[in-house]
Amino acid sequence: MNKSNGASKKAGNGSQPQHGGKSAAKTGTAREAALDVLVRTEQDRSYSNLLLHQTLQKYGLDRADAGLATEIVYGTLQRLNTIDYFLERFVAKGMAKLQPWVRSLLRMSFYQMMYLDRIPDHAVVNEAVNLAKKKGHQGISGMVNGVLRNVIRQKDTLTIPDKLPPVERISLKHSHPEWMVKRWIRQLGEERTERICEANNMPPRVSLRANTAKLSRDELVERLREAGYEAEPSELAPAGVVVKGGGNMALTPWFAEGLFSIQDESSMLVAEAVDPRPGDKVLDCCAAPGGKTMHIAEKMDDQGEVWACDIHEHKEKLIREQAERLGLQSVRTLTSDARKLKERFAPGSFDRILLDAPCSGLGVIRRKPDMKWAKQEQELGPICEIQHELLSEVHSLLKPGGVLVYSTCTIEHNENEGMMRRFLQEHPEFELTEGGMRQIYPDEHQSDGFFIAAMRKRA
């Protein structure tokens, strides 16, 4: 089983918290914090990245302990079904019968022993037993001790059988639900599916988008290097900069000054496809939290109008705050269901429209590993219908000769190329632009899985 010293940068692109405030009300260890997050993620179906951020602040951990807690949480969630597969043989009544906190404690302890090199097995066991005594009773701590010591004794036998069928083998080796693996094999083939599942367990890179309204990408790279950061221009995104070992870049003064935004490289390609010009009137239909909106405004040299719409009022506030931080005056915000925008704007109001549609999100699993366990296959069909409704309602707001860009952060055919084929068949007044459709897979560029299609409305 592969081990890693650095599986920690998994919270999301630059969103990983490095420390909590020392004024936090609660104190505890890194493992207590990790256990807290894992239990609540399972019980409340909450997003682990949001819970982790709140929990690290609550526990007041220093940078090193916050890093360890983050590593344990994301590593355990990423390898969940593989961990359970092995633990089942050691838990007499089965994992499902355990109390949620005991189940999570065994999982995170197994993860540390099997996947992390730097933590001695005996230290993992001692910490787990102490936690069990603190949260439970003598019987539970004894069971935890027995299970983990059995794991240590049988470590060499914990391997995945060679001759499993492809779906089961990939599911266990790379920790993805079988329905997802089966679906991807049918759409993409066994080899590509395995590469994607493997890539989904790699730490995401930290990538920044230079605010070209204030400085060029090269100037941002130079400034970061002068400050001791390992920064390189992105090979994928024209405005992108990749930073290694930089920690949470949102805590730097340059972020506060609006010199850059934190955004995945694949996501940066969406505004490139919109290709807005200074003076354009652009609509971003489902805009929150506003990264693509801001990129569009930056590409327009902040000249013209960018209307950013979102259905949630609190998310509209996030968009406004981003525009203020970046110093962009061309961004306008409104709260509305994008399917009702025809009530607000006349037909042909916009030069460019971006529909970054709600989607299954199966391209961003490496940033949100709990998603693969929470998502159900039956959810995918209704998402497609929402996407189709949105396209059907917003396309009339585009001027003849204008460009409509449709994007998702998934690798699902029905939500992507299938959706475009359906729309183009129903609306012959639209045609793909020269750039056409582009599907980016998570195994290609160490970036998120994304789909982008640009269509022109015939004049």
Side-chain angles (χ1 to χ4, degrees):
M1 200 174 294
N2 290 333
K3 291 193 173 189
S4 166
N5 265 324
S8 62
K9 303 291 192 297
K10 294 174 180 167
N13 196 355
S15 64
Q16 179 170 312
Q18 297 299 317
H19 55 77
K22 286 296 176 185
S23 60
K26 184 170 183 174
T27 58
T29 67
R31 289 174 178 84
E32 283 180 280
L35 180 60
D36 191 352
V37 174
L38 289 169
V39 172
R40 290 169 64 204
T41 299
E42 182 179 8
Q43 288 188 316
D44 304 339
R45 296 292 184 187
S46 301
Y47 285 125
S48 56
N49 58 334
L50 301 179
L51 276 178
L52 185 66
H53 181 69
Q54 295 164 4
T55 304
L56 293 183
Q57 290 184 322
K58 181 175 74 174
Y59 275 76
L61 300 177
D62 63 23
R63 181 173 179 138
D65 279 346
L68 177 60
T70 300
E71 187 164 30
I72 291 171
V73 167
Y74 284 101
T76 303
L77 289 171
Q78 281 182 333
R79 303 287 179 177
L80 203 59
N81 69 337
T82 310
I83 291 170
D84 283 0
Y85 170 78
F86 288 121
L87 279 175
E88 280 292 342
R89 73 174 74 169
F90 300 103
V91 179
K93 294 181 180 178
M95 292 289 284
K97 296 282 182 68
L98 297 175
Q99 294 179 56
W101 74 266
V102 179
R103 186 164 53 241
S104 290
L105 179 59
L106 288 175
R107 284 169 171 169
M108 64 183 249
S109 301
F110 185 95
Y111 171 75
Q112 293 169 78
M113 293 193 296
M114 300 302 292
Y115 292 97
L116 298 184
D117 288 322
R118 68 183 183 274
I119 304 173
D121 290 344
H122 66 84
V124 175
V125 177
N126 289 341
E127 287 280 354
V129 170
N130 288 337
L131 264 175
K133 287 177 180 176
K134 192 172 181 179
K135 292 183 69 68
H137 52 72
Q138 193 72 33
I140 291 178
S141 63
M143 185 274 289
V144 167
N145 183 55
V147 167
L148 296 180
R149 292 200 179 280
N150 273 337
V151 169
I152 293 171
R153 282 193 288 270
Q154 299 184 42
K155 248 186 178 184
D156 293 342
T157 70
L158 301 182
T159 57
I160 293 165
D162 290 330
K163 295 184 178 179
L164 291 173
V167 171
E168 193 177 350
R169 180 185 64 80
I170 293 172
S171 173
L172 281 175
K173 184 179 179 183
H174 302 294
S175 292
H176 280 65
E178 286 193 9
W179 71 262
M180 200 177 287
V181 174
K182 185 177 181 180
R183 189 178 181 93
W184 289 349
I185 287 177
R186 190 169 65 244
Q187 294 178 16
L188 305 168
E190 183 181 335
E191 189 178 328
R192 166 133 257 168
T193 296
E194 181 154 19
R195 290 204 308 269
I196 289 171
C197 291
E198 184 177 15
N200 282 343
N201 290 329
M202 299 293 181
R205 303 204 295 187
V206 174
S207 51
L208 316 177
R209 187 192 75 243
N211 179 2
T212 52
K214 294 193 173 186
L215 81 175
S216 70
R217 175 172 75 167
D218 289 344
E219 287 170 333
L220 177 59
V221 169
E222 186 178 348
R223 192 170 296 198
L224 290 167
R225 285 175 177 171
E226 286 174 354
Y229 288 88
E230 192 177 341
E232 297 290 341
S234 166
E235 294 180 2
L236 183 63
V241 175
V242 177
V243 181
K244 294 180 182 176
N248 187 353
M249 299 301 293
L251 300 178
T252 64
W254 305 303
F255 180 83
E257 292 166 20
L259 300 188
F260 62 78
S261 295
I262 299 165
Q263 185 180 16
D264 182 78
E265 293 165 90
S266 295
S267 178
M268 294 181 207
L269 298 180
V270 175
E272 301 293 344
V274 175
D275 193 25
R277 309 298 161 87
D280 275 353
K281 186 175 181 181
V282 182
L283 172 64
D284 187 351
C285 300
C286 305
K292 299 176 189 71
T293 307
M294 304 307 142
H295 194 187
I296 289 169
E298 290 163 8
K299 287 183 68 64
M300 291 165 55
D301 297 330
D302 204 24
Q303 298 173 34
E305 293 180 15
V306 186
W307 283 88
C309 168
D310 198 85
I311 195 169
H312 300 292
E313 193 169 331
H314 70 282
K315 290 187 176 180
E316 183 198 358
K317 181 172 179 281
L318 294 177
I319 301 170
R320 288 201 308 271
E321 288 171 351
Q322 280 223 56
E324 289 169 11
R325 180 181 65 83
L326 295 166
L328 298 169
Q329 306 297 317
S330 57
V331 176
R332 316 276 188 269
T333 63
L334 70 151
T335 304
S336 172
D337 184 328
R339 289 169 290 194
K340 297 181 179 178
L341 285 172
K342 288 194 294 188
E343 299 170 11
R344 175 72 182 257
F345 298 106
S349 291
F350 295 94
D351 300 287
R352 317 263 164 168
I353 294 177
L354 168 61
L355 174 57
D356 185 47
C359 70
S360 60
L362 299 184
V364 295
I365 285 173
R366 88 174 86 201
R367 298 191 187 283
K368 299 177 180 178
D370 44 306
M371 178 197 298
K372 59 186 173 185
W373 312 118
K375 191 75 66 178
Q376 301 297 320
E377 188 169 15
Q378 57 265 32
E379 296 174 40
L380 303 187
I383 290 172
C384 289
E385 290 313 304
I386 292 171
Q387 293 162 345
H388 183 256
E389 287 174 18
L390 286 163
L391 278 166
S392 300
E393 291 300 324
V394 304
H395 74 85
S396 64
L397 300 177
L398 187 68
K399 291 178 182 177
V403 171
L404 168 62
V405 171
Y406 173 85
S407 64
T408 70
C409 57
T410 190
I411 58 175
E412 270 294 304
H413 172 84
N414 291 347
E415 298 180 61
N416 295 340
E417 184 175 345
M419 185 61 60
M420 287 299 89
R421 298 297 179 199
R422 179 181 176 185
F423 177 78
L424 289 167
Q425 190 172 10
E426 293 171 350
H427 299 280
E429 71 273 25
F430 281 85
E431 60 183 353
L432 288 170
T433 67
E434 205 171 296
M437 295 185 280
R438 183 174 186 181
Q439 178 70 70
I440 302 166
Y441 293 102
D443 61 304
E444 291 180 306
H445 305 285
Q446 293 181 272
S447 62
D448 290 345
F450 245 84
F451 176 80
I452 306 166
M455 299 168 287
R456 189 176 302 280
K457 189 174 185 179
R458 289 186 172 95

